[in-house]
Amino acid sequence: MKNSSGGNFFSLPNEVFLLGLSPGELAVYSFLQRCENRKTHQCWPSIKTIGKAVGMSENTVRKYIRQLEERELIATEPTEVITKAKGKRNGNLLFTLRPIQEVVDEYYARQLENVELAAERQRVAKLLRKQESPA
């Protein structure tokens, strides 16, 4: 995208900062957002390209991709390319970025579930203490 000052830019949803991403996860996710096709929510930069862009080794990029998948921010699919000799080889991963509002909603639902679980544990512990103490 071009902004009014003529420079290139891309938009990063503010909600992404509510998810507690590590700096590495944020860097990789931001680069994927930059590459994303806004209609399909997909992109396929190579691990090497991502690493160069964010200043990380390929292994470190892979680690953060796995973490982003675990957080369900992205999904990946292997691709194949046909060589000139008509052979097949692995292509870049196809990244699909989930809509950020879905991710945020699920994040808050998990947080609420954890709070409710903690409250239930406290309630049970209190009941057990009451039963154990002589009346």
Side-chain angles (χ1 to χ4, degrees):
M1 288 187 171
K2 293 261 188 192
N3 66 18
S4 59
S5 65
N8 287 328
F9 77 100
F10 72 100
S11 172
L12 187 63
N14 290 333
E15 294 84 358
V16 82
F17 296 102
L18 303 173
L19 301 174
L21 298 178
S22 72
E25 289 170 321
L26 186 57
V28 171
Y29 182 75
S30 297
F31 186 76
L32 293 174
Q33 276 271 298
R34 177 190 169 273
C35 299
E36 173 193 46
N37 175 313
R38 302 292 180 252
K39 289 186 172 117
T40 65
H41 304 288
Q42 295 182 322
C43 59
W44 51 91
S46 70
I47 302 294
K48 187 176 188 174
T49 297
I50 298 169
K52 281 183 179 180
V54 298
M56 295 177 192
S57 72
E58 292 179 35
N59 284 339
T60 302
V61 169
R62 284 186 187 90
K63 175 181 88 171
Y64 289 127
I65 288 169
R66 277 192 307 277
Q67 291 174 355
L68 291 169
E69 285 179 301
E70 288 168 8
R71 288 176 173 267
E72 299 181 354
L73 277 154
I74 65 170
T76 61
E77 295 174 50
T79 63
E80 287 184 344
V81 290
I82 307 293
T83 64
K84 288 179 183 176
K86 306 288 186 227
K88 289 184 183 179
R89 67 176 185 87
N90 291 335
N92 294 343
L93 288 173
L94 174 64
F95 296 93
T96 303
L97 284 71
R98 291 193 51 224
I100 195 67
Q101 197 55 56
E102 277 181 23
V103 175
V104 169
D105 290 347
E106 287 176 12
Y107 174 78
Y108 283 137
R110 280 193 304 273
Q111 297 293 86
L112 182 58
E113 194 175 292
N114 289 339
V115 167
E116 290 170 348
L117 188 58
E120 181 64 15
R121 283 185 184 134
Q122 287 178 343
R123 189 184 71 72
V124 169
K126 187 176 180 182
L127 284 172
L128 289 174
R129 283 193 302 275
K130 215 182 234 186
Q131 289 177 353
E132 291 172 357
S133 63

